[in-house]
Amino acid sequence: MEYKNLLVEKKGSLATVTVSRPKALNALNTEVIAELYDVWRNLESDTNIGVVIITGDGEKSFVAGADIGELNKLDSLEGIKLAERGQGLYWKIENSDIISIAAINGFALGGGCELAMACDIRIASKNVKIGQPEVNLGIIPGYGGTQRLARLVGKGMAKLLILTGDMIDAEEALRIGLVDKITEPAELLSEAEKLAGKILSRGPKAVISAKRCINFAANSDLDTGLRYEIIEFGAICATDDSKEGTSAFMEKRKPNFKGA
Ligand code: CAA
């Protein structure tokens, strides 16, 4: 598939996907969502890819939300379908064995904030304005915002942001835990790549297993989550990489992980 709204670059085990629809501040219309589905499917079938950075084209915007022109025309059934498509994509990203890093470079609003929240780690440049402004449009978040924001920053802060529709800056987003790190705008991509490189240097199976366990924490009670961690721990102990990593420590050398 040729992408009209995405730039895709691969460097070894790292892929960078840039949403590029500059005339609408990279807002996600139906076509962009379909392209993101396709690119994600392709990246998942490429067993060499371990980490994906998702960012927006230009300095002004990561993703300014769902396309408001499209939202304006929806009836109830079409609204359900649109939300299902967006949520389906974000669910795939969140639950993928690929590690996703959102490199947030400007406006991350509505569906843009929701996309960043579906990623595993969020790095924001200092010029970020982030939030869920849907109530300003007489609608509510539809790509998971009410659920993921409450889980990330707590129910009270999620209500403050969603019920006012206010945008916050990078410092405030860091303070409340909506983003994990902030950088100078010029350093955003290199910081994201540095982080990706670090994750890629670790035991690949261990990284995936740890991600699965942490995702489980958000969706289960403590006892079920702890049991799940025990099962994953048992599975990871049987991998070649666990023998390599522990042997390398004892032999005072760097591990040579094979992803097996
Ligand atoms: N959808 C469609 N077009 C958009 C857009 C969006 N979400 N956001 C910006 N654009 C377009 C603007 O219409 C404008 O197009 P024209 O040049 O053709 O007029 C262009 O992008 C540039 O935008 P502005 O002129 O508005 O730029 P600005 O710097 O003055 O303001 C902004 C920037 C504050 C981000 C403002 O564009 C804005 O408020 N955008 C809407 C943000 C928003 O409400 N997002 C949530 C969408 S709903 C949603 O996402 C629901 C969901 O959960 C699925």
Side-chain angles (χ1 to χ4, degrees):
M1 182 175 182
E2 205 156 281
Y3 302 120
K4 285 198 209 145
N5 308 283
L6 301 180
L7 309 166
V8 183
E9 193 195 350
K10 288 186 189 175
K11 256 192 254 168
S13 295
L14 171 66
T16 302
V17 175
T18 305
V19 179
S20 179
R21 196 175 163 237
K23 65 176 184 191
L25 298 182
N26 307 325
L28 305 173
N29 63 7
T30 306
E31 188 176 60
V32 187
I33 293 282
E35 290 186 2
L36 282 168
Y37 257 109
D38 190 78
V39 85
W40 203 263
R41 212 171 13 242
N42 285 336
L43 291 170
E44 282 193 322
S45 62
D46 182 343
T47 50
N48 192 36
I49 296 297
V51 178
V52 173
I53 295 171
I54 302 180
T55 192
D57 202 4
E59 283 167 19
K60 191 170 169 182
S61 184
F62 173 69
V63 166
D67 188 284
I68 297 170
E70 282 188 357
L71 298 179
N72 179 256
K73 302 187 183 77
L74 300 179
D75 64 20
S76 176
L77 189 58
E78 289 163 339
I80 287 172
K81 289 197 164 142
L82 179 122
E84 279 178 349
R85 276 196 303 273
Q87 284 198 15
L89 171 67
Y90 291 10
W91 190 93
K92 254 172 112 52
I93 293 171
E94 184 172 47
N95 291 290
S96 174
D97 282 349
I98 293 176
I99 305 303
S100 48
I101 300 172
I104 314 170
N105 56 309
F107 290 114
L109 302 172
C113 178
E114 290 165 313
L115 174 60
M117 289 193 290
C119 291
D120 295 310
I121 298 165
R122 284 155 291 286
I123 306 184
S125 73
K126 282 188 175 162
N127 67 341
V128 152
K129 295 273 184 236
I130 188 164
Q132 297 284 162
E134 285 87 347
V135 292
N136 294 320
L137 302 167
I139 59 170
I140 65 166
Y143 290 173
T146 60
Q147 303 305 301
R148 290 197 178 90
L149 190 59
R151 282 165 170 77
L152 260 185
V153 304
K155 215 160 70 169
M157 192 55 83
K159 284 180 181 168
L160 183 64
L161 286 176
I162 293 175
L163 304 187
T164 61
D166 283 347
M167 297 182 219
I168 55 173
D169 62 18
E171 292 282 354
E172 179 64 358
L174 181 68
R175 192 187 70 78
I176 66 172
L178 177 52
V179 302
D180 307 306
K181 205 172 175 167
I182 56 182
T183 71
E184 293 299 330
E187 285 157 19
L188 178 67
L189 277 183
S190 59
E191 277 296 320
E193 283 171 13
K194 217 187 290 172
L195 177 63
K198 192 183 265 191
I199 294 169
L200 286 167
S201 74
R202 309 310 195 212
K205 286 204 160 179
V207 165
I208 293 169
S209 175
K211 169 174 172 171
R212 288 184 188 157
C213 289
I214 298 165
N215 277 356
F216 215 91
N219 300 323
S220 72
D221 61 87
L222 182 62
D223 284 352
T224 315
L226 289 172
R227 178 67 17 207
Y228 183 71
E229 187 184 88
I230 287 172
I231 294 164
E232 284 282 334
F233 191 81
I236 212 72
C237 285
T239 61
D240 292 348
D241 279 351
S242 74
K243 303 293 169 277
E244 168 60 13
T246 48
S247 301
F249 176 82
M250 291 184 296
E251 291 158 18
K252 301 193 186 305
R253 60 174 175 83
K254 276 199 161 172
N256 178 19
F257 293 121
K258 299 264 182 1

